[in-house]
Amino acid sequence: MGDKRPAETLDGTPVTMAEGSPPPTAFLEVRDLRIHFPTDDGLVKSVDGLSFRLERGRTLGIVGESGSGKSVTSLGILGLHNRRNAKVSGEIWLDGQELVGASPEEVRRLRGRRMAMIFQDPLSSMHPFYTVGDQIIEAYRVHNDVSKKVARKHAVDMLGRVGIPKPERRVDDYPHQFSGGMRQRAMIAMALSCDPELLIADEPTTALDVTVQAQILDLIRDLQEEFNSAIIMITHDLGVVAELSDDILVMYAGRSVEQASVQDAFHRPLHPYTWGLLGSMPRLDRERSERLLPIKGTPPSLINVPAGCAFSPRCAYAELNEGRSETERPELAEVEPGHRVACHLPLERRRQIWETEILPKL
Amino acid sequence: MVSTPQTGAETSPAAGTGVSAAQAARPERGGEPLLAVEGLGKHFPVTAGLLRRQVAAVKAVDGVSFAVHKGETLGLVGESGCGKTTTGRMIMRLLDPSFGRITFEGTDITGLSQRQMRPLRRDLQMIFQDPYSSLNPRQTVGAIVGAPFRLQKIQTEQGVKKAVQDLLELVGLNPEHYNRYPHEFSGGQRQRIGIARTLALKPKLIIADEPVSALDVSIQAQVINLLEDLQDELDLTYVVIAHDLSVVRHISDRVAVMYLGKIVEIADRNDLYAEPMHPYTNALLSAVPIPDPDKRKGRERIRLSGDVPSPLDPPPACRFHTRCWKAQEICKQVEPPLVELRPGHHTACHFPENAPEGATELVAKAAAERDEAAATGEPVTLGEAKGGVRKV
Ligand SMILES: Nc1ncnc2c1ncn2[C@@H]1O[C@H](COP(=O)(O)OP(=O)(O)OP(=O)(O)O)[C@@H](O)[C@H]1O
Ligand SMILES: Nc1ncnc2c1ncn2[C@@H]1O[C@H](COP(=O)(O)OP(=O)(O)O)[C@@H](O)[C@H]1O
Ligand code: SF4
Ligand code: SF4
Ligand SMILES: [Mg+2]
Ligand SMILES: [Mg+2]
């Protein structure tokens, strides 16, 4: 993890397989993923050295602010970036198979059969001129050699499973005839129609009302139990993460700054940015706090990521590190089993700050 | 000419602690409210054909009543499409109400022409949801924030610049950025520019429509704190429209919950969140994901089925009955009036949760009185008169 690759591998040519690093044991393992976009304004380093692993039956919540690289990461795993304008390097191992270096055909074959995605805006990923049923049937038949009739029955089943009332009738509706919540359900039905082992949900409920969001989160939870899929849940809502995830990855400026079990992330977070997120949020489950504790400043541009720790211009503790925060990029280090944090501040000091300065004010 | 919200909004005297919806608009604190809204409604016509004949109406807002006092923040929550923005735009007189009355500082402003409204424009200001589209991209910050000064010709150009820079400083922006354009700012900064523009005329009432929902959580907190500081400093009164129940709880003193064009519950913030009475409020609160993994289990979860029905054809009587787990026959027959079941806590439900003994009887009585008043032609607020008994 975190091994420095020569810059040449960023030019988009397939990376030769894992020099020296052993094949992973996890179901999904991402190693030092970098996704850069050359633009007129400069190189956008949307993802810049991301590593994590995920087992089947588990849910990883990825949180971060707008533009931190969450969606670029998920599209990268699914191999959906156009190789002509996205420079992808690193390794993505799905059940022992490496995807960054695999052929586009191979990745396309895996997509829909072993991995699927739910997007924030179902309208943009459903075709407006085809019925919901036809789209599910089509997706199913690409990977399953069955008759149209069998596929249609499967589509009706799936719509029923995700809670669409009268699925045998609604299967012939067009997407615009569905409400926002129903479209999101239909997209989940489409994504799940091939029993994917890896499901990536990118802000699946952000556009929905809270009561409908609750229905969809219940649905994802139930389906995971049934299919034992690995789920990556991308969201900016810490509440959604806490409800659904086993583990959390906090992203900032294209990198992960903290990875932990959901328990550790909420009860013993050890990165100043994670503290900032927790302090910014008004909470219904606590006494109303007199004042929120925002993070100062704004997230950085990914063309000009601050030197050293990308969070340093906004971090209240940057000056405690004798200049290291501004000059040296902190690497993700395991501080406790399963808990990795990238920060120069001495661990004991961070534990103490959390206990005495942050927690009491939340 | 009606000067206070009480007059002309009469129903028969309330029985017990049961108070009619019209009275919900009455001052709950001493003195006259800054803003009072009574039986306010907006029906958007739906037209068809070449002759643009009206074939139906979107009942976006259908008889809402509330009052806001000086220095207070009223939160207006509800799911998308329930009529929050439409209510705000009617108060601003950006939209003409279909019925009902808006009283500002004791003056009925419902029927004022745009010209008559002009002097009031200073006092009533709105902050919009989208910090990107609500600023003219071709104008500098100085021009945007200074526009109200120039429009009202209250200051010299030198004076305008100084005033704008003071405002920029007040909202936490660099006064040196006077000549910059909106695209040079981040979302949170643009929302600050919008707030500075709003403050330019020292308004008395600010209607903030989803002021933070387009912002990242860390920036959201900055803007919420700013709104709170400005309120303290400038003695502002807010109506904050939002769908995020946590944000609303944080910034509001009182909260009104809307469903399909109606207020179903209105109460003091602490009361509403601690002991919500309307089933819909209960469902909303239990649907909010809680950022604490230990609370995943053991939490009461109310799950509503289906979606919000269309405001084109809202369900009769209690509009929530198609999704309510407590619904009974009466809910489909008689619209429950908004009744004060605890001091300052009004709810519109035949079978409220967390309610004192005898609530159902009180609601039934208030409904009967309302309907009797309607039948005998006694004056009632328009919104109420429309309620009435409807057979399915
Ligand atoms: N095709 C592209 N060309 C150039 N830059 C891109 C491209 N796609 C994404 N980016 C940039 O990469 C960064 C990360 O984008 P991404 O969509 O992953 O953010 P995100 O974390 O999903 O944010 P949000 O919460 O707003 O969805 C952004 O700065 C974005 O502008
Ligand atoms: N100009 C309009 N013409 C027709 N319908 C409208 C118009 N503006 C709003 N509506 C409808 O009125 C209802 C309430 O809208 P709105 O007040 O914007 O809801 P909210 O702000 O609570 O999300 C919605 O059904 C909306 O589609
Ligand atoms: S490395 Fe320095 S700037 Fe970065 S989070 Fe830690 S203390 Fe803050
Ligand atoms: S009046 Fe009846 S249907 Fe309406 S909220 Fe109350 S119990 Fe539910
Ligand atoms: Mg995204
Ligand atoms: Mg709105």
Side-chain angles (χ1 to χ4, degrees):
Chain A
M1 226 172 274
D3 54 333
K4 304 265 183 312
R5 301 194 158 278
E8 302 89 82
T9 56
L10 291 178
D11 69 6
T13 52
V15 181
T16 37
M17 254 346 75
E19 306 101 330
S21 50
T25 50
F27 174 64
L28 173 72
E29 183 156 342
V30 171
R31 291 179 180 170
D32 199 29
L33 183 66
R34 287 164 206 264
I35 303 174
H36 296 176
F37 299 94
T39 69
D40 291 345
D41 296 327
L43 189 64
V44 182
K45 297 181 177 173
S46 298
V47 179
D48 201 30
L50 187 68
S51 305
F52 64 87
R53 30 162 78 213
L54 176 62
E55 297 295 350
R56 287 201 67 166
R58 308 272 296 176
T59 299
L60 173 72
I62 301 188
V63 282
E65 293 181 90
S66 189
S68 57
K70 307 183 295 294
S71 297
V72 170
T73 300
S74 55
L75 295 175
I77 294 171
L78 290 170
L80 287 172
H81 288 296
N82 182 339
R83 286 302 180 93
R84 263 185 310 241
N85 56 37
K87 308 288 177 212
V88 184
S89 74
E91 298 162 32
I92 299 167
W93 292 89
L94 183 75
D95 203 11
Q97 186 174 5
E98 208 286 318
L99 305 184
V100 173
S103 72
E105 295 73 45
E106 183 58 23
V107 178
R108 193 172 316 129
R109 209 174 53 77
L110 291 172
R111 207 163 50 224
R113 236 185 43 174
R114 303 196 69 178
M115 39 186 198
M117 178 149 177
I118 312 171
F119 297 90
Q120 169 167 353
D121 175 12
L123 263 192
S124 68
S125 55
M126 292 184 94
H127 200 292
F129 298 150
Y130 295 93
T131 66
V132 170
D134 282 343
Q135 298 186 53
I136 300 177
I137 291 167
E138 171 83 21
Y140 187 58
R141 287 185 76 206
V142 168
H143 301 286
N144 294 276
D145 185 18
V146 295
S147 71
K148 229 173 161 163
K149 207 167 146 204
V150 171
R152 184 185 162 87
K153 188 171 172 312
H154 183 74
V156 172
D157 281 353
M158 286 311 298
L159 287 175
R161 283 267 270 296
V162 299
I164 302 275
K166 305 202 184 69
E168 61 293 334
R169 270 202 0 231
R170 303 306 302 249
V171 70
D172 295 319
D173 279 356
Y174 291 89
H176 74 264
Q177 293 171 289
F178 276 25
S179 70
M182 279 164 67
R183 276 199 290 266
Q184 197 56 277
R185 284 168 190 273
M187 185 159 53
I188 292 175
M190 195 149 82
L192 293 177
S193 66
C194 304
D195 293 359
E197 294 153 52
L198 172 65
L199 178 67
I200 303 183
D202 189 354
E203 306 267 7
T205 58
T206 304
L208 303 176
D209 276 321
V210 58
T211 59
V212 182
Q213 162 170 287
Q215 297 167 4
I216 299 289
L217 296 183
D218 284 350
L219 174 64
I220 293 176
R221 213 187 329 250
D222 291 350
L223 291 169
Q224 177 172 45
E225 231 155 72
E226 192 178 336
F227 294 107
N228 196 36
S229 337
I231 296 182
I232 297 180
M233 171 63 88
I234 295 176
T235 172
H236 65 277
D237 185 334
L238 288 169
V240 169
V241 165
E243 292 254 340
L244 227 57
S245 314
D246 301 299
D247 299 293
I248 292 187
L249 187 160
V250 181
M251 248 181 123
Y252 191 80
R255 290 173 69 83
S256 131
V257 295
E258 181 155 14
Q259 290 178 14
S261 69
V262 72
Q263 301 293 337
D264 282 349
F266 281 92
H267 298 312
R268 289 167 291 280
L270 290 170
H271 195 281
Y273 178 63
T274 315
W275 301 339
L277 288 179
L278 290 168
S280 295
M281 225 185 6
R283 301 178 59 147
L284 278 187
D285 60 326
R286 301 247 171 101
E287 279 285 295
R288 178 180 170 278
S289 62
E290 263 317 301
R291 217 169 156 70
L292 300 175
L293 310 167
I295 306 170
K296 68 177 184 194
T298 51
S301 136
L302 293 181
I303 295 179
N304 260 316
V305 180
C309 172
F311 187 55
S312 59
R314 307 178 72 191
C315 181
Y317 309 98
E319 66 265 29
L320 300 180
N321 298 298
E322 288 138 11
R324 276 177 83 201
S325 289
E326 290 81 13
T327 52
E328 190 184 324
R329 184 148 82 178
E331 293 298 329
L332 212 51
E334 184 148 41
V335 294
E336 283 151 26
H339 193 162
R340 283 183 276 280
V341 193
C343 175
H344 291 310
L345 203 59
L347 181 58
E348 273 319 305
R349 189 69 213 280
R350 271 183 277 148
R351 287 204 174 105
Q352 182 207 347
I353 292 174
W354 164 252
E355 290 287 339
T356 61
E357 293 177 29
I358 311 289
L359 188 57
K361 285 195 226 153
L362 291 183
Chain B
M1 189 72 209
V2 177
S3 60
T4 57
Q6 290 95 315
T7 34
E10 291 303 300
T11 53
S12 7
T17 48
V19 176
S20 75
Q23 282 165 310
R26 286 186 179 174
E28 274 141 30
R29 319 172 159 198
E32 182 179 80
L34 183 67
L35 171 78
V37 162
E38 296 161 72
L40 190 66
K42 180 73 192 177
H43 291 185
F44 291 105
V46 178
T47 55
L50 277 177
L51 298 174
R52 312 210 116 261
R53 214 163 27 86
Q54 181 176 343
V55 291
V58 178
K59 294 174 180 148
V61 179
D62 210 11
V64 300
S65 303
F66 57 84
V68 192
H69 294 263
K70 190 154 180 51
E72 183 184 40
T73 300
L74 176 77
L76 210 52
V77 279
E79 294 177 282
S80 73
C82 71
K84 307 180 296 294
T85 298
T86 305
T87 302
R89 292 173 61 86
M90 282 193 284
I91 296 170
M92 290 296 301
R93 294 295 320 283
L94 296 171
L95 266 180
D96 285 326
S98 305
F99 49 86
R101 180 164 50 223
I102 305 160
T103 315
F104 183 72
E105 290 192 307
T107 307
D108 186 339
I109 62 166
T110 325
L112 298 190
S113 67
Q114 287 306 325
R115 197 170 49 78
Q116 289 170 312
M117 269 304 283
R118 202 163 298 147
L120 279 169
R121 287 266 168 252
R122 293 186 61 162
D123 297 338
L124 278 164
Q125 290 285 322
M126 193 151 181
I127 298 172
F128 296 92
Q129 166 167 8
D130 184 354
Y132 300 89
S133 63
S134 62
L135 303 176
N136 183 343
R138 278 182 291 276
Q139 284 189 330
T140 62
V141 171
I144 292 169
V145 178
F149 293 123
R150 297 193 179 90
L151 217 66
Q152 306 253 343
K153 302 194 177 65
I154 37 181
Q155 260 153 349
T156 62
E157 197 47 37
Q158 255 331 63
V160 170
K161 180 162 186 188
K162 171 81 175 63
V164 169
Q165 291 189 324
D166 287 349
L167 277 171
L168 293 179
E169 192 144 23
L170 185 65
V171 300
L173 290 169
N174 187 342
E176 308 286 296
H177 292 166
Y178 188 82
N179 285 317
R180 296 217 184 161
Y181 289 89
H183 73 262
E184 299 174 54
F185 294 90
S186 70
Q189 288 172 322
R190 282 183 244 207
Q191 194 55 289
R192 286 167 193 265
I193 297 171
I195 292 171
R197 174 179 59 183
T198 303
L199 293 176
L201 293 168
K202 300 203 170 46
K204 293 177 179 154
L205 176 71
I206 292 181
I207 298 183
D209 188 1
E210 303 276 6
V212 297
S213 55
L215 306 175
D216 267 323
V217 53
S218 73
I219 314 298
Q220 228 178 56
Q222 296 173 359
V223 172
I224 290 172
N225 283 354
L226 172 66
L227 288 172
E228 289 185 335
D229 292 346
L230 291 171
Q231 180 166 47
D232 289 348
E233 211 162 310
L234 307 173
D235 199 18
L236 296 170
T237 306
Y238 293 140
V239 174
V240 176
I241 296 172
H243 69 278
D244 184 323
L245 287 129
S246 317
V247 167
V248 166
R249 171 177 176 242
H250 187 84
I251 51 184
S252 309
D253 300 306
R254 278 189 311 131
V255 176
V257 181
M258 285 185 78
Y259 186 77
L260 266 179
K262 298 246 178 209
I263 291 180
V264 297
E265 182 159 12
I266 179 165
D268 185 75
R269 172 229 305 158
N270 293 331
D271 270 2
L272 188 110
Y273 283 85
E275 293 184 272
M277 290 204 252
H278 199 281
Y280 178 61
T281 313
N282 279 276
L284 272 183
L285 287 173
S286 94
V288 176
I290 295 298
D292 183 344
D294 291 349
K295 292 181 183 144
R296 268 189 220 181
K297 295 214 169 63
R299 219 183 134 206
E300 186 197 11
R301 284 176 200 276
I302 304 166
R303 289 296 182 259
L304 297 180
S305 54
D307 299 298
V308 181
S310 159
L312 262 174
D313 186 21
C318 174
R319 294 186 171 190
F320 188 55
H321 80 249
T322 53
R323 301 172 83 199
C324 181
W325 68 99
K326 299 184 85 180
Q328 303 203 11
E329 201 45 38
I330 188 175
C331 309
K332 302 177 197 165
Q333 308 278 348
V334 181
E335 175 167 2
L338 199 57
V339 177
E340 185 172 17
L341 291 173
R342 276 203 301 266
H345 196 146
H346 308 253
T347 196
C349 171
H350 291 296
F351 309 105
E353 303 273 284
N354 296 313
E357 199 131 330
T360 295
E361 291 71 34
L362 269 178
V363 174
K365 198 164 171 192
E369 279 163 6
R370 172 200 58 198
D371 296 337
E372 196 177 310
T376 58
E378 267 176 49
V380 284
T381 59
L382 268 159
E384 281 306 291
K386 298 181 63 60
V389 180
R390 276 183 254 181
K391 299 272 183 249
V392 246

